[in-house]
Amino acid sequence: MKEYFKIGKIKYEGPKSKNPLAFKYYDKNEMILGKPMKDHLKFAMSWWHTLCAKGADQFGSNTMERSFENQDPVKEAFEKVDAGFEFMQKLGIEYFCFHDRDMAPEMPTLEESNRVLDEVSDYVLSKMKETNIKCLWGTANCFNHKRYMSGAGTSPNADAFAYAAAQIKHAMDITKKLGGQNYVFWGGREGYDTLLNTDMKMELDHYATLLTIARDYNIKSGLNAQLLIEPKPKEPTKHQYDFDVQTVLGFLRTYGLEKDFKMNIEANHATLAIHTFNHELNVARIHNVLGSIDANQGDMLLGWDTDQFPTNIYDATLAMYEVLLAGGLGKGGLNFDAKARRQSFTDEDLFISYIAGMDTFAKGLRVAAKLLEDQVFENFKKERYQSFTSGIGKKIEEKNVTLEELSDYALKLEQVEGISGRQEWLEAILNQYICESYEG
Ligand code: XUL
Ligand code: CO
């Protein structure tokens, strides 16, 4: 068997290691809160960024050359399978995520595209059996081809809608074959640029129809995956319909789909919506729709989706804190929807990018677990909302009050006391936990 990456298996060497090709914080079998790290984190390789992205951007061509390139795109698809499984095994990654069109190329007809995807995914299945690597989620790419220039489920062209439905059906079949636990819908080009040419109501109705028939097929076909919507506020369109978690919740409730879909939350999409990553995770958690995570980060000075590998420990800590509060991700996991920078073009850079991302979330998990164990913020919050545990506060909490009663109560008050939010103190404690210098 050909070796595609001239790099050995990546091992855990601990925080003092200077070896760029070793884990510093991710020790996969180490127990954290009664569970091995790898089960908390369930890292997944993104097929598209890892095996397809080659460093091109809107101003320049590819910068990356990979040893699995082939003039024939179908042969290349098979080589990518071998390279991808070698990559995951060397990093100890147990899951992958894919789009139909990054696992196998788009062919001249839908029938041929389906056939090639069937063949490549058969080969993927054989590698999964050999290695015990699993599919976290599958999806259909209904945004790249020019037929989707005006959207898929929200296209003004019914044929584009039908084509998207066909692609989703087939991608669901492949996800079933590969035992995928989740199926993702990212809205792609579902949105609009100007109301001068757009019937928003009709587009939203159609989008809901597409999701409804996909939900039905999930059951009918026996896939039974957890269905996930991935919110994103802008790019490619100016107004993406799946803006953020709260907007998607409203949409799902309007169309009676709120019991059928959870969310795949992406860090970079959260910040594009001017939310923090942990805000989006929190909104999903409190509404019981936290499904899975696309682990990446954006650049705060750039207004687009840069899909960088996550290296911000602060954000990863607060994200893992939400995950722990949710009791874990269940069927979901942490998919690196991230690509090495255009200038980080070597194979070694690709490994280092993953190591950096995995270590960042591992460190985040360690800190979050300690914060939760010590109940640092939870105790503070309990104290802060103390006034709702007795007297008038308790009545409000129990929804057992009227405006008249509250008015009588307030008229007797001399003044309303402030409660310090102590934000700076809490942030300083968080810093101490991250630096491991806090002594209870
Ligand atoms: C696009 C994006 C996608 C989805 C899957 O911004 O995040 O890669 O994760 O279609
Ligand atoms: Co994503």
Side-chain angles (χ1 to χ4, degrees):
M1 168 74 70
K2 180 171 169 186
E3 190 181 41
Y4 289 88
F5 301 101
K6 308 284 170 243
I7 287 168
K9 209 166 162 31
I10 308 300
K11 300 194 187 75
Y12 171 72
E13 290 186 5
K16 294 217 160 45
S17 169
K18 293 208 166 87
N19 177 3
L21 290 166
F23 293 118
K24 321 301 184 291
Y25 301 103
Y26 182 56
D27 184 9
K28 66 178 186 177
N29 290 319
E30 191 179 321
M31 300 296 276
I32 303 275
L33 300 179
K35 217 162 81 171
M37 277 188 131
K38 70 184 178 90
D39 293 351
H40 280 284
L41 295 162
K42 282 175 74 185
F43 290 128
M45 178 193 80
S46 58
W47 208 273
W48 54 106
H49 287 313
T50 312
L51 302 170
C52 306
K54 295 197 180 130
D57 66 11
Q58 57 274 55
F59 302 105
S61 54
N62 294 348
T63 58
M64 300 169 186
E65 276 174 33
R66 300 290 186 217
S67 53
F68 42 89
E69 278 166 32
N70 194 305
Q71 297 287 27
D72 176 345
V74 176
K75 286 197 181 127
E76 179 165 312
F78 280 95
E79 294 222 39
K80 279 177 183 163
V81 179
D82 286 329
F85 277 82
E86 180 190 322
F87 184 75
M88 287 185 274
Q89 280 182 292
K90 286 185 166 171
L91 277 160
I93 291 181
E94 296 187 2
Y95 296 86
F96 65 88
C97 301
F98 73 99
H99 297 75
D100 50 357
R101 296 294 179 258
D102 43 64
M103 185 170 277
E106 172 112 18
M107 303 300 282
T109 66
L110 180 60
E111 209 178 328
E112 277 177 88
S113 297
N114 285 349
R115 183 181 49 77
V116 173
L117 181 55
D118 286 342
E119 288 167 10
V120 178
S121 57
D122 278 345
Y123 188 49
V124 170
L125 184 61
S126 72
K127 300 290 283 189
M128 290 172 69
K129 286 182 181 151
E130 255 172 50
T131 58
N132 218 14
I133 286 171
K134 298 171 275 296
C135 173
L136 184 67
W137 53 257
T139 189
N141 179 330
C142 299
F143 44 88
N144 212 274
H145 193 276
K146 69 177 180 188
R147 77 177 71 86
Y148 300 125
M149 66 172 79
S150 315
T154 64
S155 172
N157 183 345
D159 285 351
F161 184 105
Y163 208 105
Q167 255 187 266
I168 291 168
K169 176 183 177 295
H170 199 66
M172 287 183 128
D173 291 341
I174 303 297
T175 306
K176 181 184 173 206
K177 179 168 77 179
L178 302 181
Q181 295 246 303
N182 305 270
Y183 185 88
V184 165
F185 297 85
W186 168 54
R189 292 180 193 274
E190 316 297 17
Y192 72 92
D193 293 318
T194 172
L195 284 174
L196 299 180
N197 64 16
T198 301
D199 183 335
M200 181 159 28
K201 169 79 168 72
M202 186 191 247
E203 293 200 357
L204 288 170
D205 287 351
H206 290 174
Y207 187 29
T209 300
L210 185 62
L211 293 174
T212 305
I213 56 182
R215 173 205 62 188
D216 294 345
Y217 190 69
N218 182 42
I219 308 294
K220 256 189 279 175
S221 67
L223 167 59
N224 290 318
Q226 173 169 268
L227 302 180
L228 304 171
I229 295 188
E230 182 175 323
K232 182 175 181 179
K234 56 186 165 194
E235 205 202 12
T237 70
K238 183 159 65 181
H239 300 279
Q240 293 280 130
Y241 291 135
D242 297 331
F243 190 94
D244 60 2
V245 174
Q246 193 68 58
T247 308
V248 174
L249 279 172
F251 169 83
L252 292 173
R253 285 177 186 150
T254 302
Y255 292 97
L257 293 167
E258 68 274 17
K259 294 205 167 55
D260 303 312
F261 292 85
K262 291 197 173 186
M263 309 277 167
N264 184 43
I265 314 256
E266 176 164 326
N268 203 165
H269 296 176
T271 51
L272 285 177
I274 330 266
H275 293 311
T276 57
F277 185 21
N278 62 318
H279 166 90
E280 284 292 80
L281 294 167
N282 187 292
V283 177
R285 176 174 67 77
I286 64 179
H287 292 95
N288 200 23
V289 291
L290 177 53
S292 198
I293 288 179
D294 267 12
N296 65 7
Q297 70 186 32
D299 185 313
M300 290 309 146
L301 304 185
L302 299 175
W304 62 90
D305 198 11
T306 56
D307 283 341
Q308 290 167 227
F309 272 88
T311 52
N312 185 322
I313 290 174
Y314 201 92
D315 289 348
T317 298
L318 297 177
M320 288 314 297
Y321 190 74
E322 286 296 330
V323 171
L324 291 178
L325 282 179
L329 287 170
K331 289 182 171 190
L334 289 165
N335 164 52
F336 287 107
D337 192 357
K339 53 185 181 233
R341 298 300 82 196
R342 179 173 162 76
Q343 296 175 63
S344 307
F345 60 88
T346 69
D347 285 355
E348 193 175 277
D349 287 319
L350 189 58
F351 276 79
I352 289 173
S353 303
Y354 267 87
I355 293 167
M358 292 161 81
D359 267 340
T360 300
F361 270 88
K363 171 72 180 171
L365 168 66
R366 290 171 185 276
V367 181
K370 189 86 182 79
L371 282 164
L372 202 59
E373 232 169 22
D374 294 353
Q375 292 283 293
V376 180
F377 303 134
E378 300 318 298
N379 282 341
F380 183 81
K381 284 186 224 175
K382 243 183 239 155
E383 190 63 33
R384 186 160 183 251
Y385 294 92
Q386 183 73 27
S387 66
F388 287 95
T389 58
S390 62
I392 197 75
K394 189 155 185 246
K395 291 185 103 182
I396 296 171
E397 181 68 12
E398 288 166 355
K399 302 183 193 77
N400 182 24
V401 275
T402 60
L403 272 190
E404 301 89 301
E405 187 184 350
L406 288 168
S407 172
D408 291 345
Y409 177 86
L411 283 167
K412 287 185 214 120
L413 283 174
E414 273 172 29
Q415 61 173 340
V416 177
E417 301 290 343
I419 301 170
S420 173
R422 307 195 80 181
Q423 182 175 333
E424 300 78 1
W425 178 62
L426 295 166
E427 287 172 350
I429 292 180
L430 175 55
N431 283 348
Q432 283 184 288
Y433 269 78
I434 289 172
C435 299
E436 290 174 29
S437 60
Y438 195 81
E439 302 283 341

